[in-house]
Amino acid sequence: MKRIGVLTSGGDAPGMNAAIRAVVRKAIFQDIEVFGIKNGFQGLIEGNIEQMEIGSVGDMIQRGGTMLLSARSEEFKTEEGRQKAMEQLNKYGIEGLIIIGGDGSFRGAQKLTEQGYPCIGVPGTIDNDIAGTDFTIGFDTALNTIIEAIDKIRDTATSHERTYIIEVMGRDAGDLALWAGLSGGAESIIIPEKKEDFSDIVNRLKRGHERGKKHSIIIVAEGVGSGFDYGDRIQEATSLETRVTVLGHIQRGGSPTASDRVLASRLGANAVESLLAGKAGKMVGIQNNQLVDRDILEVLAEEHQINNDLYRLSQELSI
Ligand code: F6P
């Protein structure tokens, strides 16, 4: 293999740039040419492709977002769209592709692999919702952004003796909410993977209030519904003064943490090694701090599990 491509797809995540940098530098280190494809699979269809050099990824490791831009392409889901994408790959002589993104991006990677273009997936999403890897690129940074917000909200919650509902991202997954709730000392963590009775949430708040606790923080994962609905229901059930904050896309931005930069560098470089070793249709990941690779088909079929020990602990610590 003498020429490879790299693209980012789906929702961006802090650390994607560090992963692109690792792909580009590792490939050049191995005497391989690298082409950057802008705007994800849509850019591939449209031929938005440029050769990358060592300097193309200079001053990038610390930047949030993705220098290659990202998109969710409907056209690529069609046979014709993929045909156009393959014509571009042929035109540029790109023999293998590295795709940084979430499960939607991996479905695209799998399709191209099946059509003869070896692809390797690199898990990049703040949601941490991919099976086969303990962590995805961007999760740690988003988590730290949430913690910073919780700490600030806690200040005003204390001053005004209020209950705060904080809605965090995660699509259908509760990892961000769970880790943020545990590290932010939340009273309750409401996530799609665990169905907690609403009455338990209310009772915990009431118990705390009776003990003299004047403010509370409740983390709601967007996957269980609207933070505003929970706010209304909680205020009605407890009569405690309640406010709601939806953190939104602020969670997707910002300079990646050291941990995300290291993860992105390791996974990006490993993706290049995997392609050069002749692997295809694989996702590189990290398990127990060791680099692993798994069939994308398996990863897509498996459901990501939340860490039950952490959930139990969070409940024990917020009695
Ligand atoms: O997958 C990342 C994510 O930020 C999810 O947490 C969220 O549900 C979704 O993307 C938001 O997507 P968009 O940026 O298209 O609104």
Side-chain angles (χ1 to χ4, degrees):
M1 200 171 276
K2 278 281 150 221
R3 190 175 275 190
I4 65 170
V6 57
L7 63 81
T8 50
S9 156
D12 63 352
M16 279 184 163
N17 282 326
I20 297 165
R21 172 181 178 271
V23 168
V24 170
R25 298 250 166 114
K26 178 76 180 186
I28 293 174
F29 179 77
Q30 306 267 47
D31 271 333
I32 307 291
E33 290 180 335
V34 201
F35 282 69
I37 297 148
K38 288 208 165 154
N39 268 316
F41 290 114
Q42 195 54 40
L44 180 56
I45 290 171
E46 290 161 10
N48 199 347
I49 301 172
E50 255 174 41
Q51 184 159 5
M52 298 181 85
E53 307 293 350
I54 296 176
S56 318
V57 287
D59 193 24
M60 271 298 147
I61 196 164
Q62 80 285 12
R63 294 197 192 197
T66 160
M67 65 180 290
L68 289 177
L69 314 179
S70 193
R72 294 188 170 108
S73 170
E74 286 306 312
E75 195 179 354
F76 188 76
K77 292 183 187 156
T78 67
E79 202 59 58
E80 288 127 28
R82 283 197 298 278
Q83 196 52 45
K84 286 189 203 160
M86 286 189 296
E87 280 162 21
Q88 295 293 347
L89 289 171
N90 279 335
K91 182 172 145 197
Y92 283 86
I94 296 171
E95 298 161 273
L97 260 187
I98 292 174
I99 288 152
I100 306 166
D103 52 359
S105 316
F106 293 167
R107 266 182 268 281
Q110 179 59 25
K111 285 272 181 217
L112 280 180
T113 301
E114 284 164 9
Q115 289 177 288
Y117 285 91
C119 292
I120 301 289
V122 176
T125 164
I126 64 165
D127 298 347
N128 208 39
D129 61 347
I130 311 274
T133 185
D134 293 342
F135 296 106
T136 57
I137 297 166
F139 172 69
D140 187 63
T141 308
L143 177 59
N144 279 284
T145 301
I146 298 170
I147 287 303
E148 207 184 319
I150 293 178
D151 291 349
K152 286 180 174 156
I153 288 170
R154 189 182 281 286
D155 288 346
T156 176
T158 316
S159 309
H160 290 269
E161 303 189 335
R162 284 172 176 159
T163 296
Y164 264 87
I165 318 296
I166 305 176
E167 183 193 304
V168 302
M169 276 187 169
R171 205 181 292 271
D172 303 318
D175 275 54
L176 277 174
L178 172 58
W179 287 65
L182 180 61
S183 48
E187 270 60 39
S188 285
I189 300 168
I190 309 175
I191 55 176
E193 295 87 345
K194 297 280 174 192
K195 299 280 172 251
E196 194 183 14
D197 276 351
F198 185 68
S199 58
D200 289 341
I201 298 166
V202 168
N203 289 337
R204 190 173 303 127
L205 277 175
K206 285 185 175 162
R207 265 199 319 270
H209 199 68
E210 278 155 19
R211 261 197 344 257
K213 198 167 179 8
K214 298 286 189 231
H215 73 273
S216 299
I217 303 281
I218 296 179
I219 307 294
V220 175
E222 63 174 347
V224 297
S226 153
F228 284 101
D229 289 346
Y230 274 96
D232 289 344
R233 288 171 68 198
I234 285 170
Q235 175 142 332
E236 202 181 299
T238 61
S239 304
L240 297 172
E241 192 184 4
T242 302
R243 293 285 188 276
V244 180
T245 299
V246 177
L247 293 183
H249 286 81
I250 196 170
Q251 296 161 94
R252 285 238 297 259
S255 176
T257 57
S259 177
D260 267 331
R261 296 182 201 189
V262 171
L263 178 65
S265 302
R266 291 178 78 188
L267 294 184
N270 194 235
V272 175
E273 277 183 5
S274 299
L275 263 188
L276 297 186
K279 295 183 185 176
K282 299 270 185 191
M283 179 197 80
V284 291
I286 191 141
Q287 283 180 328
N288 301 320
N289 205 20
Q290 299 296 314
L291 291 167
V292 291
D293 61 60
R294 295 275 308 275
D295 284 337
I296 287 180
L297 274 179
E298 258 176 52
V299 165
L300 291 175
E302 220 175 281
E303 223 170 276
H304 164 77
Q305 305 290 332
I306 62 144
N307 185 325
N308 284 314
D309 291 342
L310 285 191
Y311 184 74
R312 214 171 305 118
L313 181 62
S314 74
Q315 291 220 308
E316 287 170 5
L317 301 186
S318 60
I319 34 174

